[in-house]
Amino acid sequence: MIGRLNHVAIAVKDLAAATALYRDTLGARVSQPLPQPEHGVTVVFVELPNTKIELLEPLGADSPIMKFLERNADGGIHHICYEVEDILAARDRLKAAGARVLGSGEPRIGAHGKPVLFLHPKDFTGTLVELEQA
Ligand code: CO
């Protein structure tokens, strides 16, 4: 059911420093910072030949990645995103299998303008999983 790895998201406290690390030390192509107030993060996209890395910095007081950064002072991998062809079919199949879908269970429009859902990390080997309709 899942297809390509769309991105790996890394939460960071200092987006400028993380961007410089990826651009200058690792030699990657990076985007300008993109504030996404509706998701409580500012994102920099790191473009790799086969996938993307998203550097996430908290934006606003109730950012969903704030708690994660309190537990992971140096930052860390926050979630991984797999592509699916049909997000509603994927959701229904996962729910039928007993997996927990976060939030209302209805897809939201994610960072790339496409519908996304998040799955509970306790159901997926301790990893927050995002599904994005490709
Ligand atoms: Co994501």
Side-chain angles (χ1 to χ4, degrees):
M1 178 175 68
I2 59 171
R4 291 157 54 95
L5 174 66
N6 185 277
H7 62 270
V8 175
I10 300 177
V12 302
K13 281 186 173 163
D14 184 340
L15 190 57
T19 302
L21 185 68
Y22 270 82
R23 184 189 56 224
D24 303 332
T25 307
L26 292 173
R29 199 147 50 96
V30 302
S31 75
Q32 292 297 311
L34 181 65
Q36 300 195 320
E38 69 279 19
H39 294 289
V41 293
T42 302
V43 185
V44 164
F45 298 101
V46 180
E47 296 287 342
L48 302 180
N50 60 340
T51 191
K52 292 185 285 289
I53 307 297
E54 293 184 6
L55 305 173
L56 308 178
E57 182 185 63
L59 176 63
D62 52 354
S63 170
I65 64 171
M66 200 70 92
K67 272 207 183 94
F68 180 90
L69 284 170
E70 282 166 14
R71 291 194 305 267
N72 300 276
D74 298 328
I77 294 178
H78 183 263
H79 65 267
I80 56 178
C81 178
Y82 302 120
E83 296 179 0
V84 294
E85 280 182 19
D86 181 335
I87 200 159
L88 294 177
R91 175 198 63 189
D92 293 346
R93 174 171 161 172
L94 288 161
K95 284 174 88 168
R100 285 167 285 182
V101 177
L102 300 187
S104 69
E106 291 308 311
R108 297 177 60 196
I109 297 304
H112 315 114
K114 294 177 174 171
V116 302
L117 284 172
F118 285 91
L119 307 175
H120 201 297
K122 290 212 160 101
D123 296 335
F124 292 94
T125 63
T127 304
L128 178 60
V129 172
E130 179 180 20
L131 299 178
E132 179 175 300
Q133 186 161 289

